[in-house]
Amino acid sequence: MYRVLVTEKIPFTDYYKDIDFIYKPENMDSHQWLMESINDADGILITLSDRIDSEIIDAAKKLKVISTYSVGYDHIDVKYALSRNIKIGYTPDVLTESTADFIFGLIICIARRICSGYETIISNKWEYRWKPDFMLGHDVYGKTLGILGLGRIGHAVMRRASGFDMNVIYYNRTERDVNGHVGLNELFSRSDFIVITLPLNDETRNIVNKDLISKMKKTAYIINASRGHIVNEDDLYNALLNRDIAGAALDVFDNEPVRADNRFVKLDNVLLTPHMASASYETRRDMANLALKNLELGLHGLNPEKYVNI
Ligand code: GLV
Ligand code: GLV
């Protein structure tokens, strides 16, 4: 029997008869629990809320595989794990389309103020008469969409944009075989919507800062569903507060969870969602299957179906 530590309940584990799944107690801190339990574990099945640092990796004596139920792996000390011959499985592809759907939803909601409209009703602020200048936002169709990071998700967002007759430009460190590549400054100065679909790493941390934000049009929006740390939150907050840009839709933050007393909540030009871009029944089912498949292959000493290789 393989011993596997699991930090969140996931479906389909019954299928794996040679794996003993050991679950983290609900009220226990994951770092502490992993430190105490990882000594003789063969594998761990984690999420992006579980930080796997060198301390945890050092405490593991038999660990063969880290399987993360996420496409991002910035919560794992990848270099160190790989140097210890520990395989790392993750879940790309299966969440691409649902994440792109959600990003497109954020674009439309922030530009056309759909959530503000709902908020207006539930807070009883809808006045009796229909007014020509009530709840005005900006159009989405025909506008310029700027994609920062043209990976799988960026491509999927790009495909959706063509149905809205958008002009799509993108910046990627290495130019892709797709029309529309521009420099970073140009991406920010020309776009009406900047969508961030970059992975978080040393090169992308804080890449969106006041220098770039100051290039944006006053009528432009930022949409981030990747990782909070890619954007300098202070710089973004100041730009929103001063109305240097039209707004931002954020699914990810420096510190999650975000509470109602967060400074962004007091702004009227933001849309905030709780890190849910891949949260569809279908996608979470596929992520569970892939994470388990990755885990099983790693336990058997093989490369996971989708593995991190830097
Ligand atoms: C979500 O943010 C993921 O990395 O899967
Ligand atoms: C993320 O998975 C991406 O490649 O866009």
Side-chain angles (χ1 to χ4, degrees):
M1 281 297 253
Y2 296 108
R3 228 177 112 76
V4 170
L5 306 180
V6 191
T7 57
E8 289 295 332
K9 298 254 174 318
I10 84 164
F12 316 123
T13 48
D14 289 353
Y15 177 78
Y16 294 83
K17 299 297 177 207
D18 58 346
I19 303 177
D20 185 15
F21 291 97
I22 300 146
Y23 292 90
K24 179 182 86 62
E26 197 69 52
N27 52 5
M28 202 163 165
D29 173 72
S30 102
H31 196 267
Q32 186 192 345
W33 180 68
L34 288 166
M35 282 303 292
E36 288 170 11
S37 328
I38 205 166
N39 177 51
D40 61 349
D42 300 292
I44 56 177
L45 183 46
I46 58 165
T47 75
L48 57 93
S49 291
D50 305 308
R51 185 167 45 87
I52 306 301
D53 52 19
S54 56
E55 200 187 4
I56 289 186
I57 294 167
D58 281 338
K61 300 296 175 229
K62 293 172 58 185
L63 197 68
K64 296 183 190 68
V65 58
I66 298 168
S67 174
T68 186
Y69 186 98
S70 61
V71 68
Y73 43 80
D74 50 284
H75 52 298
I76 302 170
D77 188 337
V78 166
K79 265 200 196 120
Y80 197 63
L82 294 179
S83 78
R84 294 294 170 98
N85 285 321
I86 297 167
K87 312 228 190 244
I88 303 167
Y90 72 131
T91 63
D93 302 329
V94 291
L95 47 59
T96 299
E97 301 299 336
S98 7
T99 302
D101 279 355
F102 190 83
I103 289 172
F104 230 87
L106 290 178
I107 293 173
I108 297 171
C109 281
I110 187 69
R112 297 300 311 276
R113 307 186 59 191
I114 293 176
C115 294
S116 309
Y118 176 63
E119 210 264 333
T120 299
I121 290 185
I122 62 171
S123 58
N124 227 9
K125 287 187 206 134
W126 188 11
E127 290 170 27
Y128 172 67
R129 283 192 54 78
W130 185 96
K131 290 189 192 306
D133 62 351
F134 179 53
M135 288 269 97
L136 301 189
H138 289 282
D139 277 324
V140 175
Y141 79 92
K143 293 292 178 67
T144 297
L145 175 70
I147 300 178
L148 179 53
L150 193 64
R152 294 167 291 257
I153 297 169
H155 270 109
V157 172
M158 185 181 249
R159 284 201 313 278
R160 284 160 178 75
S162 71
F164 283 74
D165 284 337
M166 297 180 92
N167 167 36
V168 184
I169 54 180
Y170 70 96
Y171 172 81
N172 204 64
R173 194 181 39 162
T174 51
E175 187 173 341
R176 304 281 189 197
D177 190 17
V178 178
N179 288 337
H181 183 85
V182 296
L184 255 186
N185 287 332
E186 193 178 340
L187 186 85
F188 277 73
S189 62
R190 280 178 53 193
S191 298
D192 297 303
F193 300 92
I194 306 263
V195 167
I196 303 171
T197 45
L198 282 173
L200 176 63
N201 54 44
D202 291 343
E203 284 173 52
T204 62
R205 186 176 298 274
N206 258 313
I207 191 170
V208 179
N209 55 22
K210 61 171 176 283
D211 290 343
L212 281 178
I213 296 172
S214 69
K215 305 273 185 324
M216 290 173 64
K217 304 180 193 176
K218 269 194 166 342
T219 50
Y221 297 87
I222 286 188
I223 291 90
N224 189 10
S226 55
R227 286 292 181 270
H229 289 289
I230 290 177
V231 178
N232 182 305
E233 260 188 16
D234 289 337
D235 293 352
L236 177 61
Y237 176 78
N238 288 327
L240 290 164
L241 186 69
N242 300 330
R243 302 200 179 272
D244 296 333
I245 63 175
L250 307 173
D251 187 49
V252 290
F253 305 87
D254 282 357
N255 294 306
E256 298 175 7
V258 162
R259 299 292 178 197
D261 61 359
N262 186 284
R263 58 185 168 165
F264 282 98
V265 174
K266 292 175 195 76
L267 300 175
D268 64 1
N269 48 358
V270 295
L271 166 55
L272 310 175
T273 52
H275 202 149
M276 56 186 280
S278 73
S280 73
Y281 289 106
E282 298 87 345
T283 285
R284 290 291 163 84
R285 176 200 61 211
D286 294 346
M287 288 170 71
N289 273 322
L290 181 53
L292 282 165
K293 215 183 287 172
N294 286 338
L295 174 75
E296 186 187 34
L297 287 165
L299 290 173
H300 292 156
L302 303 169
N303 281 332
E305 182 164 308
K306 299 288 173 182
Y307 63 98
V308 180
N309 188 9
I310 53 167

